[in-house]
Amino acid sequence: MSDCAIAQDTFQNLTFTMSGYNFTIPSSAYVVNATQENEWAELFQDDKCVFMIMPHYFESDQYMVGLGQGFLWQYFAEFDFDTTSMHFGVNYYAE
C-alpha cells in the first residue's frame, strides 16, 4: 500500500459549511498521489503525496483556505455575474 493510500485511509472526510450548507469531500479528493500515470505527473517529480487544500496568507494577516480542485471534483460551481452570486451542485460522477 502506498503512502498516499495510507493517508487517504487515515484522514477523515472534511466538511465545510457555507451559507448554512454542508459540503463534504473525502480524503481521496484532498490527498492525491502524483504518479507518472496521471495529470499531476507534470507538476511533481517522482511519486509524491499532494495535499490539495492550500492556505493563503495576506499582508494584512488575513487567512484564507483555497479549496481548489479537490473541492471542485466533488461539486461544480456556477458563477452568476448578473447577480454576483455563486452556486454549487453535487458532481454525481465523482469517485
Side-chain angles (χ1 to χ4, degrees):
M1 183 180 264
S2 72
D3 290 341
C4 281
I6 293 169
Q8 289 171 344
D9 287 343
T10 303
F11 294 160
Q12 299 178 0
N13 293 345
L14 294 178
T15 300
F16 301 92
T17 303
M18 293 182 273
S19 298
Y21 293 97
N22 291 329
F23 298 90
T24 300
I25 58 173
S27 60
S28 60
Y30 68 87
V31 177
V32 175
N33 189 3
T35 65
Q36 297 304 316
E37 291 97 33
N38 65 35
E39 66 272 14
W40 299 105
E42 295 178 14
L43 296 175
F44 303 97
Q45 296 176 346
D46 303 320
D47 288 347
K48 299 215 186 241
C49 209
V50 180
F51 191 66
M52 300 296 294
I53 299 172
M54 304 296 177
H56 298 282
Y57 301 96
F58 298 95
E59 290 181 19
S60 62
D61 293 330
Q62 292 180 339
Y63 176 76
M64 292 178 81
V65 174
L67 300 179
Q69 199 162 8
F71 180 81
L72 292 174
W73 283 332
Q74 302 299 311
Y75 301 95
F76 65 88
E78 176 185 78
F79 302 93
D80 186 339
F81 293 101
D82 292 333
T83 62
T84 62
S85 61
M86 190 162 91
H87 309 277
F88 293 107
V90 176
N91 177 4
Y92 288 106
Y93 298 103
E95 296 177 8

